Amino acid sequence: MPPSTNSTPKSARTQTSLFSFFTTPKRKPQSVDRDSQDALLEQAGDLMDDDILVEIEQAEKAQATPSGSKRKAEHMSASVHMDVDDAPSGSEDNDDDGDGDYQPEDTGVLPGRNGRSRRRIVEDSDEELQQAQSPTLSRRSKAPNNSTAPRTPTLARMRYSAAGSSATSDDTPLLSIVAGTARPGLPRSSTSALSSASTSSTPLIQQLQSPPRTPTDAKRARASAFAKKNEERYSWLEDIRDAQGLPPSDPGYDKRSLFVPKGAWDKFSPFERQYWEIKSKHWDTVVFFKKGKFYELYENDASIAHQEFDLKMTDRVNMRMAGVPESSFDHWVAQFVAKGYRVARVDQKESRLAKEMRERNSTKKGDSLVTRELTGVLTAGTLVDPSLLTQDLATYCMAIVEGTREDAATGELTTSFGVAFVDTSTAQFNLCTIDDDDADRSGLETLLVQVNPREVVYVRGGAGPGYLARNRSFEESALSSLDARDGMAGISSATWRTLKNTCAQTTDWISLAPRTEFWDSPATQREVNSARYFESWPEALQRAAESQQLLALAAVGGLLSYLRTLKLDSDLASLGNFAIYAPMQHSKALVLDGPSLANLDVFHVSASGAGGSAADNHSLFALLNHARTPFGRRMLNRWTCHPLRHAAAINARLDAVEFLMGAAGDAIAESLAGLPDLERTLSRVHAGRCKVADFLAMLVGLNVANGFIKQLLPAHGGDVPTRIRALVAAFPSLDELLAEFQSAFDAGVAEAEGRLLPFKGSDPQYDQALATINELEEWLDQHLRDARQRFGCQSIVYKNLGKEMYQLEIPVSVSVPTSYLQLSATKAVRRYWSPELRAKVQQRAEALETQSMILDGYQTRLYQRFDKHYGVTMKAVSVIAEVDCLLALATASRALGAPACRPTILDDTRAGGYVEFKQLRHPCVALGNATDFVANDIVLGRRQGAA
């Protein structure tokens, strides 16, 4: 946490509070929220400074004298007050004690069973343990001679307000009240920790002042006190169970949920209850909890932050806590995700002002808490924010179901799969059915090699991680059950072996309960209709439903259900980008199954001695990947999975590549080099979560692409190949669309300030708000002129002080009507609001607030207008991506050097195909420094009529 910027010494601020305690007249006691008092006093973790302790001691002595008794009868009752919501760390809204001096302490921890950490306490004496029972632990201070000063307390997280309370309504000494020996108005149970320090016959003042202790002792004592206080409160974390009460060793254990016993809920403070209601549903996720200007992590999450990243950890709100500033949230999320953690974001959904307005209208317990909601869960396979994405290629989240049926001819069970996967950065969904796969799961393996999913969602109940330790007796009965026919029986051991052996080691496995969490086909159709993701079903989903592809629809249901838990389903599915995927495209592409893709080193090099990303630099895709744009690289990856098989299509592509190897390619390459990721940006615009800077870059990129595509044909005339002409013809006209949005807002303001300010006439709501403000400001100008004329004084001006704007500053020599409200004054002038002026100032403030709200909504409305043209813009992006892929192949061809030639592809319909290569070299060797490599001739098959 950043250190406090408050320069006022803490002792000085505390002294002020104490003096006000003795000098303020006694008032009628008022009720104080006991929950707030208990929470405050349980958290009081610092001791008072020496000078404050002396003042308290002197005050008690003075109270014992006759004059002191009179003073005691006049002093104000101290009311212990805590800001609502157990104010968090580090800022005005985050500092529990309100002194702006909070800094987290680094509490040493030892990992305990099931992730609950224990404090390391070494050589604690009885005296240390006795002092540790008090939550007011010490800070070190040095005496003038550098000797160790006596330990002295400070009133932490307390402040004395004019409201008063019954805390000192009797003759109890103030020092006893602070120590906790007597606290009228509070339950005795809530003061047990404080009271224990005063049970000794030794005066409390002597207990606090002796013996001197080191900072290490204080830290140990603080850890001991915290561990002792929370040993019972959080004992249930020593025996982790899921929401169903199952331990991690149970096959049905759900690692996402946590069981919290009823007794624990009863003891939680309102803030603890708010936190654990969210955390118990995301136990396997690191939860960043927004408090003020910080995101805080508690309990196990705080331990992870401390152990993985050495973040400072302290004890707050009865829990271990670590935190990061709001401004660095994206940085820390990226760090946690890179380490393999899932991250949940909980944000405040109302401002402090809105909370206060709500409190005035409600007496319900717990309403004093700021409203917070889970706004998203970030995982490695479902990232959508461009600032968190680390690569241009697609990262997929896949859902899979396995179904079995009895073959009518043979009577044997056959295995089929329904699969759905999504690239969340572009909102592109794909679904497919793999019918009657073989025992080796070749069809599934091929799909896995092509997609390489980062996360796999499957039905809980069958095989999975830890399967070898489970009872396998379910398999024979489960695979023949009714659940197996619609994919709700889980996956078999053979399928699990294929998944485990084919997917990367970093793949995350997510199991969902059948039907309730992983929807079957009927539930998927019901949920999609009730969620109203789209007005009419996309063609791919419609075809799957009509052709009774029940497994594919079930896979879509499992994927959407999982995305719903991440708060992503509506943003992604509502775009309607669903397509049928064919792992082996027999009609258009060569069939490359999983083993072929692996053995040919298409994406990864598997040769002996090679490994890691360095070896993958010599794969076929790495050789071809010279695309200039991120969306071009993703299309080239798909091309590499499915190479063309028809001679006409191959020759058309070769003609385009040969054309781009000339001067035309150099000009296009220069235009493509600076384009942003248009495909991903369009997806963020649809979701309404696009940053202004990214939106501006997208408009500029579309304008650049529109320009060079329009100039491609005129610059080269009739020499342009057929495929390039077809792409130019398919490129939609963007002139009107770009002109509309470039004239909609001030680009200069957007670039400089990161906000969209509409031009006049672009947004009717903003125009109306601006007209209202201008009308009020004209009235204010006229009112000033009238005041000068009325009082015969031209020196009258408006003065703005804080939130009280437009104060009429009038010399003291001028008499004003009694109806004028004086707001401030100096020796020379007084400042007023006239009755009319006061009303207009309020109207202007409300008009400005309305304008601000309209501006906040303008960005959303502008994105919605642009999203209506999604089909047109995506068509343009697809054309640009294909041009980029062709240019990448041209660049790769030129990089091969000489000798090289264009292959001749013959469309020979006669029986017997063949390939014949002369002087063949491996492309990676050709690009290297090998000089003694011997070229080879290869002939497969025989030319018709050859001997």
Side-chain angles (χ1 to χ4, degrees), residues 266-287:
D266 296 339
K267 296 178 181 179
F268 285 157
S269 67
F271 173 75
E272 287 177 288
R273 179 179 294 274
Q274 185 186 57
Y275 172 76
W276 286 107
E277 282 176 351
I278 296 176
K279 180 61 179 177
S280 62
K281 297 180 178 66
H282 299 85
W283 177 240
D284 64 338
T285 304
V286 176
V287 178

PDB file of all heavy atoms in Angstrom, residues 266-287:
ATOM      1  N   ASP A 266     -23.327 -16.643  11.825  1.00  0.00           N
ATOM      2  CA  ASP A 266     -23.892 -15.886  12.938  1.00  0.00           C
ATOM      3  C   ASP A 266     -22.881 -14.956  13.585  1.00  0.00           C
ATOM      4  O   ASP A 266     -23.263 -13.916  14.147  1.00  0.00           O
ATOM      5  CB  ASP A 266     -24.457 -16.846  13.989  1.00  0.00           C
ATOM      6  CG  ASP A 266     -25.627 -17.663  13.463  1.00  0.00           C
ATOM      7  OD1 ASP A 266     -26.248 -17.225  12.465  1.00  0.00           O
ATOM      8  OD2 ASP A 266     -25.902 -18.742  14.023  1.00  0.00           O
ATOM      9  N   LYS A 267     -21.597 -15.312  13.508  1.00  0.00           N
ATOM     10  CA  LYS A 267     -20.562 -14.511  14.160  1.00  0.00           C
ATOM     11  C   LYS A 267     -19.949 -13.463  13.231  1.00  0.00           C
ATOM     12  O   LYS A 267     -19.182 -12.616  13.689  1.00  0.00           O
ATOM     13  CB  LYS A 267     -19.453 -15.428  14.686  1.00  0.00           C
ATOM     14  CG  LYS A 267     -19.912 -16.381  15.773  1.00  0.00           C
ATOM     15  CD  LYS A 267     -18.777 -17.292  16.230  1.00  0.00           C
ATOM     16  CE  LYS A 267     -19.258 -18.262  17.305  1.00  0.00           C
ATOM     17  NZ  LYS A 267     -18.166 -19.179  17.732  1.00  0.00           N
ATOM     18  N   PHE A 268     -20.254 -13.529  11.954  1.00  0.00           N
ATOM     19  CA  PHE A 268     -19.663 -12.586  11.009  1.00  0.00           C
ATOM     20  C   PHE A 268     -20.195 -11.176  11.255  1.00  0.00           C
ATOM     21  O   PHE A 268     -21.370 -10.971  11.573  1.00  0.00           O
ATOM     22  CB  PHE A 268     -19.983 -12.982   9.566  1.00  0.00           C
ATOM     23  CG  PHE A 268     -19.192 -14.159   9.063  1.00  0.00           C
ATOM     24  CD1 PHE A 268     -19.659 -14.927   8.007  1.00  0.00           C
ATOM     25  CD2 PHE A 268     -17.975 -14.499   9.631  1.00  0.00           C
ATOM     26  CE1 PHE A 268     -18.942 -16.003   7.532  1.00  0.00           C
ATOM     27  CE2 PHE A 268     -17.251 -15.587   9.170  1.00  0.00           C
ATOM     28  CZ  PHE A 268     -17.734 -16.336   8.131  1.00  0.00           C
ATOM     29  N   SER A 269     -19.313 -10.203  11.065  1.00  0.00           N
ATOM     30  CA  SER A 269     -19.754  -8.812  10.986  1.00  0.00           C
ATOM     31  C   SER A 269     -20.435  -8.603   9.634  1.00  0.00           C
ATOM     32  O   SER A 269     -20.310  -9.444   8.733  1.00  0.00           O
ATOM     33  CB  SER A 269     -18.551  -7.876  11.126  1.00  0.00           C
ATOM     34  OG  SER A 269     -17.697  -8.010  10.000  1.00  0.00           O
ATOM     35  N   PRO A 270     -21.175  -7.504   9.450  1.00  0.00           N
ATOM     36  CA  PRO A 270     -21.829  -7.283   8.150  1.00  0.00           C
ATOM     37  C   PRO A 270     -20.852  -7.316   6.986  1.00  0.00           C
ATOM     38  O   PRO A 270     -21.167  -7.867   5.931  1.00  0.00           O
ATOM     39  CB  PRO A 270     -22.465  -5.900   8.322  1.00  0.00           C
ATOM     40  CG  PRO A 270     -22.739  -5.790   9.773  1.00  0.00           C
ATOM     41  CD  PRO A 270     -21.598  -6.493  10.453  1.00  0.00           C
ATOM     42  N   PHE A 271     -19.668  -6.751   7.169  1.00  0.00           N
ATOM     43  CA  PHE A 271     -18.708  -6.773   6.061  1.00  0.00           C
ATOM     44  C   PHE A 271     -18.205  -8.189   5.795  1.00  0.00           C
ATOM     45  O   PHE A 271     -18.070  -8.606   4.641  1.00  0.00           O
ATOM     46  CB  PHE A 271     -17.528  -5.860   6.351  1.00  0.00           C
ATOM     47  CG  PHE A 271     -16.437  -5.968   5.314  1.00  0.00           C
ATOM     48  CD1 PHE A 271     -16.604  -5.379   4.074  1.00  0.00           C
ATOM     49  CD2 PHE A 271     -15.280  -6.684   5.564  1.00  0.00           C
ATOM     50  CE1 PHE A 271     -15.628  -5.502   3.096  1.00  0.00           C
ATOM     51  CE2 PHE A 271     -14.304  -6.806   4.594  1.00  0.00           C
ATOM     52  CZ  PHE A 271     -14.471  -6.207   3.362  1.00  0.00           C
ATOM     53  N   GLU A 272     -17.898  -8.948   6.858  1.00  0.00           N
ATOM     54  CA  GLU A 272     -17.465 -10.333   6.670  1.00  0.00           C
ATOM     55  C   GLU A 272     -18.528 -11.133   5.931  1.00  0.00           C
ATOM     56  O   GLU A 272     -18.227 -11.945   5.049  1.00  0.00           O
ATOM     57  CB  GLU A 272     -17.163 -10.981   8.017  1.00  0.00           C
ATOM     58  CG  GLU A 272     -15.889 -10.511   8.684  1.00  0.00           C
ATOM     59  CD  GLU A 272     -15.701 -11.153  10.044  1.00  0.00           C
ATOM     60  OE1 GLU A 272     -16.437 -10.783  10.973  1.00  0.00           O
ATOM     61  OE2 GLU A 272     -14.818 -12.029  10.167  1.00  0.00           O
ATOM     62  N   ARG A 273     -19.779 -10.929   6.310  1.00  0.00           N
ATOM     63  CA  ARG A 273     -20.866 -11.649   5.638  1.00  0.00           C
ATOM     64  C   ARG A 273     -20.898 -11.289   4.160  1.00  0.00           C
ATOM     65  O   ARG A 273     -21.049 -12.163   3.303  1.00  0.00           O
ATOM     66  CB  ARG A 273     -22.199 -11.309   6.302  1.00  0.00           C
ATOM     67  CG  ARG A 273     -23.405 -11.986   5.660  1.00  0.00           C
ATOM     68  CD  ARG A 273     -24.678 -11.609   6.398  1.00  0.00           C
ATOM     69  NE  ARG A 273     -24.667 -12.140   7.748  1.00  0.00           N
ATOM     70  CZ  ARG A 273     -25.083 -13.372   8.058  1.00  0.00           C
ATOM     71  NH1 ARG A 273     -25.552 -14.167   7.097  1.00  0.00           N
ATOM     72  NH2 ARG A 273     -25.064 -13.788   9.295  1.00  0.00           N
ATOM     73  N   GLN A 274     -20.753 -10.020   3.830  1.00  0.00           N
ATOM     74  CA  GLN A 274     -20.751  -9.598   2.429  1.00  0.00           C
ATOM     75  C   GLN A 274     -19.605 -10.263   1.672  1.00  0.00           C
ATOM     76  O   GLN A 274     -19.778 -10.732   0.539  1.00  0.00           O
ATOM     77  CB  GLN A 274     -20.619  -8.076   2.354  1.00  0.00           C
ATOM     78  CG  GLN A 274     -20.733  -7.517   0.945  1.00  0.00           C
ATOM     79  CD  GLN A 274     -20.466  -6.035   0.899  1.00  0.00           C
ATOM     80  OE1 GLN A 274     -19.406  -5.561   1.315  1.00  0.00           O
ATOM     81  NE2 GLN A 274     -21.431  -5.279   0.390  1.00  0.00           N
ATOM     82  N   TYR A 275     -18.436 -10.330   2.298  1.00  0.00           N
ATOM     83  CA  TYR A 275     -17.272 -10.932   1.632  1.00  0.00           C
ATOM     84  C   TYR A 275     -17.466 -12.434   1.423  1.00  0.00           C
ATOM     85  O   TYR A 275     -17.274 -12.949   0.309  1.00  0.00           O
ATOM     86  CB  TYR A 275     -16.015 -10.678   2.455  1.00  0.00           C
ATOM     87  CG  TYR A 275     -14.809 -11.425   1.940  1.00  0.00           C
ATOM     88  CD1 TYR A 275     -14.134 -10.988   0.804  1.00  0.00           C
ATOM     89  CD2 TYR A 275     -14.367 -12.593   2.552  1.00  0.00           C
ATOM     90  CE1 TYR A 275     -13.038 -11.680   0.312  1.00  0.00           C
ATOM     91  CE2 TYR A 275     -13.275 -13.295   2.073  1.00  0.00           C
ATOM     92  CZ  TYR A 275     -12.616 -12.832   0.945  1.00  0.00           C
ATOM     93  OH  TYR A 275     -11.536 -13.529   0.458  1.00  0.00           O
ATOM     94  N   TRP A 276     -17.851 -13.156   2.486  1.00  0.00           N
ATOM     95  CA  TRP A 276     -17.925 -14.611   2.376  1.00  0.00           C
ATOM     96  C   TRP A 276     -19.100 -15.074   1.528  1.00  0.00           C
ATOM     97  O   TRP A 276     -19.083 -16.196   1.004  1.00  0.00           O
ATOM     98  CB  TRP A 276     -17.975 -15.237   3.760  1.00  0.00           C
ATOM     99  CG  TRP A 276     -16.634 -15.194   4.437  1.00  0.00           C
ATOM    100  CD1 TRP A 276     -16.249 -14.395   5.470  1.00  0.00           C
ATOM    101  CD2 TRP A 276     -15.489 -15.993   4.089  1.00  0.00           C
ATOM    102  NE1 TRP A 276     -14.932 -14.638   5.785  1.00  0.00           N
ATOM    103  CE2 TRP A 276     -14.442 -15.617   4.961  1.00  0.00           C
ATOM    104  CE3 TRP A 276     -15.248 -16.972   3.142  1.00  0.00           C
ATOM    105  CZ2 TRP A 276     -13.188 -16.193   4.900  1.00  0.00           C
ATOM    106  CZ3 TRP A 276     -13.992 -17.550   3.078  1.00  0.00           C
ATOM    107  CH2 TRP A 276     -12.978 -17.159   3.946  1.00  0.00           C
ATOM    108  N   GLU A 277     -20.133 -14.280   1.370  1.00  0.00           N
ATOM    109  CA  GLU A 277     -21.206 -14.643   0.448  1.00  0.00           C
ATOM    110  C   GLU A 277     -20.681 -14.759  -0.977  1.00  0.00           C
ATOM    111  O   GLU A 277     -21.167 -15.580  -1.759  1.00  0.00           O
ATOM    112  CB  GLU A 277     -22.327 -13.599   0.520  1.00  0.00           C
ATOM    113  CG  GLU A 277     -23.228 -13.743   1.741  1.00  0.00           C
ATOM    114  CD  GLU A 277     -24.258 -12.645   1.826  1.00  0.00           C
ATOM    115  OE1 GLU A 277     -24.156 -11.680   1.027  1.00  0.00           O
ATOM    116  OE2 GLU A 277     -25.156 -12.722   2.688  1.00  0.00           O
ATOM    117  N   ILE A 278     -19.704 -13.954  -1.330  1.00  0.00           N
ATOM    118  CA  ILE A 278     -19.105 -14.025  -2.665  1.00  0.00           C
ATOM    119  C   ILE A 278     -17.989 -15.061  -2.707  1.00  0.00           C
ATOM    120  O   ILE A 278     -17.917 -15.892  -3.608  1.00  0.00           O
ATOM    121  CB  ILE A 278     -18.579 -12.641  -3.078  1.00  0.00           C
ATOM    122  CG1 ILE A 278     -19.746 -11.656  -3.204  1.00  0.00           C
ATOM    123  CG2 ILE A 278     -17.797 -12.720  -4.396  1.00  0.00           C
ATOM    124  CD1 ILE A 278     -19.325 -10.229  -3.504  1.00  0.00           C
ATOM    125  N   LYS A 279     -17.110 -15.023  -1.715  1.00  0.00           N
ATOM    126  CA  LYS A 279     -15.948 -15.911  -1.723  1.00  0.00           C
ATOM    127  C   LYS A 279     -16.351 -17.376  -1.636  1.00  0.00           C
ATOM    128  O   LYS A 279     -15.699 -18.241  -2.251  1.00  0.00           O
ATOM    129  CB  LYS A 279     -15.017 -15.544  -0.561  1.00  0.00           C
ATOM    130  CG  LYS A 279     -13.767 -16.405  -0.453  1.00  0.00           C
ATOM    131  CD  LYS A 279     -12.891 -16.280  -1.700  1.00  0.00           C
ATOM    132  CE  LYS A 279     -11.638 -17.128  -1.557  1.00  0.00           C
ATOM    133  NZ  LYS A 279     -10.808 -17.079  -2.791  1.00  0.00           N
ATOM    134  N   SER A 280     -17.411 -17.702  -0.892  1.00  0.00           N
ATOM    135  CA  SER A 280     -17.811 -19.097  -0.754  1.00  0.00           C
ATOM    136  C   SER A 280     -18.279 -19.701  -2.069  1.00  0.00           C
ATOM    137  O   SER A 280     -18.320 -20.923  -2.207  1.00  0.00           O
ATOM    138  CB  SER A 280     -18.921 -19.218   0.296  1.00  0.00           C
ATOM    139  OG  SER A 280     -20.076 -18.501  -0.106  1.00  0.00           O
ATOM    140  N   LYS A 281     -18.633 -18.872  -3.038  1.00  0.00           N
ATOM    141  CA  LYS A 281     -19.038 -19.362  -4.359  1.00  0.00           C
ATOM    142  C   LYS A 281     -17.878 -19.352  -5.349  1.00  0.00           C
ATOM    143  O   LYS A 281     -18.023 -19.828  -6.479  1.00  0.00           O
ATOM    144  CB  LYS A 281     -20.182 -18.503  -4.916  1.00  0.00           C
ATOM    145  CG  LYS A 281     -21.457 -18.553  -4.078  1.00  0.00           C
ATOM    146  CD  LYS A 281     -22.533 -17.677  -4.706  1.00  0.00           C
ATOM    147  CE  LYS A 281     -23.839 -17.732  -3.918  1.00  0.00           C
ATOM    148  NZ  LYS A 281     -23.707 -17.140  -2.581  1.00  0.00           N
ATOM    149  N   HIS A 282     -16.719 -18.806  -4.937  1.00  0.00           N
ATOM    150  CA  HIS A 282     -15.542 -18.739  -5.805  1.00  0.00           C
ATOM    151  C   HIS A 282     -14.298 -19.082  -4.987  1.00  0.00           C
ATOM    152  O   HIS A 282     -13.333 -18.315  -4.929  1.00  0.00           O
ATOM    153  CB  HIS A 282     -15.414 -17.345  -6.432  1.00  0.00           C
ATOM    154  CG  HIS A 282     -16.577 -16.961  -7.292  1.00  0.00           C
ATOM    155  ND1 HIS A 282     -17.724 -16.400  -6.796  1.00  0.00           N
ATOM    156  CD2 HIS A 282     -16.781 -17.086  -8.631  1.00  0.00           C
ATOM    157  CE1 HIS A 282     -18.577 -16.192  -7.778  1.00  0.00           C
ATOM    158  NE2 HIS A 282     -18.036 -16.591  -8.894  1.00  0.00           N
ATOM    159  N   TRP A 283     -14.338 -20.247  -4.350  1.00  0.00           N
ATOM    160  CA  TRP A 283     -13.266 -20.629  -3.437  1.00  0.00           C
ATOM    161  C   TRP A 283     -11.944 -20.848  -4.183  1.00  0.00           C
ATOM    162  O   TRP A 283     -10.869 -20.591  -3.636  1.00  0.00           O
ATOM    163  CB  TRP A 283     -13.670 -21.895  -2.686  1.00  0.00           C
ATOM    164  CG  TRP A 283     -12.610 -22.415  -1.759  1.00  0.00           C
ATOM    165  CD1 TRP A 283     -11.997 -23.626  -1.796  1.00  0.00           C
ATOM    166  CD2 TRP A 283     -12.060 -21.734  -0.625  1.00  0.00           C
ATOM    167  NE1 TRP A 283     -11.091 -23.746  -0.773  1.00  0.00           N
ATOM    168  CE2 TRP A 283     -11.115 -22.581  -0.033  1.00  0.00           C
ATOM    169  CE3 TRP A 283     -12.279 -20.473  -0.059  1.00  0.00           C
ATOM    170  CZ2 TRP A 283     -10.383 -22.233   1.097  1.00  0.00           C
ATOM    171  CZ3 TRP A 283     -11.545 -20.113   1.063  1.00  0.00           C
ATOM    172  CH2 TRP A 283     -10.614 -20.984   1.635  1.00  0.00           C
ATOM    173  N   ASP A 284     -11.986 -21.318  -5.419  1.00  0.00           N
ATOM    174  CA  ASP A 284     -10.761 -21.570  -6.171  1.00  0.00           C
ATOM    175  C   ASP A 284     -10.285 -20.335  -6.916  1.00  0.00           C
ATOM    176  O   ASP A 284      -9.412 -20.427  -7.786  1.00  0.00           O
ATOM    177  CB  ASP A 284     -10.968 -22.718  -7.166  1.00  0.00           C
ATOM    178  CG  ASP A 284     -11.993 -22.387  -8.233  1.00  0.00           C
ATOM    179  OD1 ASP A 284     -12.837 -21.494  -7.995  1.00  0.00           O
ATOM    180  OD2 ASP A 284     -11.957 -23.009  -9.316  1.00  0.00           O
ATOM    181  N   THR A 285     -10.839 -19.178  -6.589  1.00  0.00           N
ATOM    182  CA  THR A 285     -10.554 -17.937  -7.306  1.00  0.00           C
ATOM    183  C   THR A 285      -9.999 -16.900  -6.341  1.00  0.00           C
ATOM    184  O   THR A 285     -10.469 -16.798  -5.204  1.00  0.00           O
ATOM    185  CB  THR A 285     -11.834 -17.397  -7.966  1.00  0.00           C
ATOM    186  OG1 THR A 285     -12.380 -18.406  -8.817  1.00  0.00           O
ATOM    187  CG2 THR A 285     -11.556 -16.147  -8.781  1.00  0.00           C
ATOM    188  N   VAL A 286      -8.996 -16.148  -6.792  1.00  0.00           N
ATOM    189  CA  VAL A 286      -8.469 -15.041  -6.000  1.00  0.00           C
ATOM    190  C   VAL A 286      -9.403 -13.848  -6.174  1.00  0.00           C
ATOM    191  O   VAL A 286      -9.583 -13.356  -7.292  1.00  0.00           O
ATOM    192  CB  VAL A 286      -7.039 -14.675  -6.438  1.00  0.00           C
ATOM    193  CG1 VAL A 286      -6.529 -13.461  -5.670  1.00  0.00           C
ATOM    194  CG2 VAL A 286      -6.101 -15.854  -6.224  1.00  0.00           C
ATOM    195  N   VAL A 287     -10.023 -13.411  -5.095  1.00  0.00           N
ATOM    196  CA  VAL A 287     -11.048 -12.363  -5.149  1.00  0.00           C
ATOM    197  C   VAL A 287     -10.425 -11.016  -4.789  1.00  0.00           C
ATOM    198  O   VAL A 287      -9.900 -10.837  -3.685  1.00  0.00           O
ATOM    199  CB  VAL A 287     -12.217 -12.673  -4.198  1.00  0.00           C
ATOM    200  CG1 VAL A 287     -13.242 -11.547  -4.228  1.00  0.00           C
ATOM    201  CG2 VAL A 287     -12.868 -14.004  -4.578  1.00  0.00           C
TER     202      VAL A 287
END
